[in-house]
Amino acid sequence: MPFNIGIFLYIVAYCLTEGMIFAAAGKAGKKTSRVLFVRSIIFVALAGLIYFHTECTRYVDYDRMSTEMSLSLSKGASYLFDLYSLNPLSAVPLALIAKTGVFPLLKSLSACVYYGVLLYIAGKLRQTYGAFSATITTVFFLCTVDLSYPADTIRFPIASAIFALGYVGYSYFSFSPIKALSLMLFGCFFHASMWPFLIIFLSTRIFKKNIFIIILTFFLIFYFQIVNLVSSLISSISPALGWKIQLYFETDGQYYESLISNEQFIYLLFIYIFICTLFLLKRTFSKQENSQSDRVFIMYSCFLLGSIHSNVIFPRYIPFLILISLPFIADIFSRYTNSGYTGKNSWAMHFIFVSFILVSIFGLILRFAFSYIPFYLT
């Protein structure tokens, strides 16, 4: 079965269960939260099952990891920890799953964490902003994000989801600083690509004056060129890190060959602009000017803008940006529904709502036509 059919049925099933829960909410009362919890467990398990049986016709990171896990059986777990010295926590699930000999469990683990975090955030959004806002933002994520990642890159979806949970939990769901920082550090040690986001997050906590924010913004927009200038120095200090820089930052490197079509890249750029537009709309509603979450989002979006030269880094970080944007998107649509679809700026909100639906539909079509074609279910 094609992978895109499996994902389509998954999204349809999610929407149908949301509709049934919403319709029965008035009668169910306190049982609704219990039903939502059970539903989330079922859908996380279903995601794990789908990705366990997902294969790809092209070479993916999972193929490399399968080889590494196979070699670790003869060379020992230390072989994996040496390979992933920059991402030490990544070696732990690889070593444990290697012992079982059932390597596809790695894809299931990635999917369960990714979808688990998404559904946890969706549940929290439902409590805060209502069922409609939570549902529409979750479906937006499922339609626009490349859901083949848990069967492809494996480690990045786990790291980005756990990091996003720490950030979103701290910014919107009253997570304690220790809990949030622990989750974000876990993401960083699981995949080194999350370190820039932790540094940005901490910088906004330390430097709150506008002059520092402006300087940091300038640096983030031009960081790609700066890293290329100092890549030789970095390679001399850390050959492993230098090798990663060569893969991701040299535009004529092997990673830049047919990784993503021009149509997909343009679509991701459109999604980036669309999310930033929604953020500006949210700012017009917010009474809390220059909150830390706003400063962090501005810094993160500048970092992605600086990554636009790379068709590896930019596409990889867009799903992360969408995930951390779900709370303020839900906030926008809760205001839209609570206003009774009328008000001073009702025409603008109608336009945003229609655009939101069209972007979701177009994103799903694009994923089916390009991203999911190499993947299939066995």
Side-chain angles (χ1 to χ4, degrees), residues 230-239 242:
V230 300
S231 59
S232 299
L233 176 62
I234 296 174
S235 297
S236 64
I237 298 173
S238 174

Side-chain angles (χ1 to χ4, degrees), residues 136 140 270 273-282 284-285 328-329 332-333 336 345-360:
I136 195 171
F140 174 74
F270 174 76
I273 296 172
F274 186 67
I275 292 293
C276 291
T277 302
L278 291 176
F279 171 74
L280 293 176
L281 181 63
K282 172 258 181 188
T284 63
F285 294 143
F328 74 70
I329 295 175
I332 290 173
F333 285 105
Y336 178 56
N345 297 317
S346 59
W347 66 271
M349 288 302 301
H350 289 320
F351 177 78
I352 291 293
F353 179 72
V354 173
S355 300
F356 197 80
I357 299 300
L358 292 176
V359 168
S360 299

Side-chain angles (χ1 to χ4, degrees), residues 3 44 70 74 76 95 109 112 124 178 220 257 259 282 310 318 326 342 347 349 378:
F3 177 74
V44 168
S70 180
S74 58
L109 173 65
C112 287
K124 287 291 187 180
I178 294 176
L220 291 172
E257 296 178 5
L259 275 178
K282 172 258 181 188
S310 169
I318 287 294
L326 294 184
T342 60
W347 66 271
M349 288 302 301
T378 57

Side-chain angles (χ1 to χ4, degrees), residues 213-251:
I213 299 298
I214 292 172
I215 293 172
L216 183 57
T217 300
F218 179 84
F219 174 81
L220 291 172
I221 292 175
F222 295 100
Y223 89 93
F224 194 90
Q225 290 79 2
I226 296 171
V227 171
N228 272 321
L229 287 175
V230 300
S231 59
S232 299
L233 176 62
I234 296 174
S235 297
S236 64
I237 298 173
S238 174
L241 185 57
W243 176 71
K244 282 290 186 181
I245 289 174
Q246 183 180 6
L247 289 178
Y248 294 139
F249 285 84
E250 292 185 2
T251 53

Side-chain angles (χ1 to χ4, degrees), residues 7 11 114-115 117-119 121-122 134-147 149-150 157 160-161 164 267 275 318-326 329 356 360 363-364 367 372:
I7 290 297
I11 296 174
Y114 203 54
Y115 284 82
V117 169
L118 172 64
L119 293 177
I121 292 176
T135 301
I136 195 171
T137 50
T138 305
V139 173
F140 174 74
F141 182 90
L142 292 172
C143 291
T144 55
V145 168
D146 187 349
L147 296 176
Y149 272 9
S160 61
Y267 173 71
I275 292 293
I318 287 294
F320 173 74
L321 185 72
I322 297 174
L323 188 57
I324 65 171
S325 301
L326 294 184
I329 295 175
F356 197 80
S360 299
L364 196 61
R367 292 302 179 199
Y372 301 155

Side-chain angles (χ1 to χ4, degrees), residues 70-187:
S70 180
L71 290 173
S72 72
L73 295 177
S74 58
K75 296 185 177 182
S78 59
Y79 167 72
L80 292 172
F81 283 94
D82 289 339
L83 278 179
Y84 293 96
S85 57
L86 291 176
N87 316 279
L89 290 180
S90 291
V92 176
L94 268 69
L96 293 175
I97 291 174
K99 293 294 184 182
T100 69
V102 188
F103 297 166
L105 284 175
L106 192 62
K107 293 182 286 188
S108 293
L109 173 65
S110 182
C112 287
V113 173
Y114 203 54
Y115 284 82
V117 169
L118 172 64
L119 293 177
Y120 176 83
I121 292 176
K124 287 291 187 180
L125 295 179
R126 188 186 186 96
Q127 295 173 9
T128 308
Y129 301 111
F132 175 79
S133 298
T135 301
I136 195 171
T137 50
T138 305
V139 173
F140 174 74
F141 182 90
L142 292 172
C143 291
T144 55
V145 168
D146 187 349
L147 296 176
S148 67
Y149 272 9
D152 183 349
T153 61
I154 306 292
R155 296 182 304 118
F156 182 78
I158 296 175
S160 61
I162 292 177
F163 186 100
L165 178 59
Y167 166 73
V168 171
Y170 177 78
S171 301
Y172 299 97
F173 305 144
S174 302
F175 279 18
S176 69
I178 294 176
K179 182 179 180 180
L181 186 60
S182 298
L183 289 168
M184 288 189 277
L185 281 172
F186 184 97

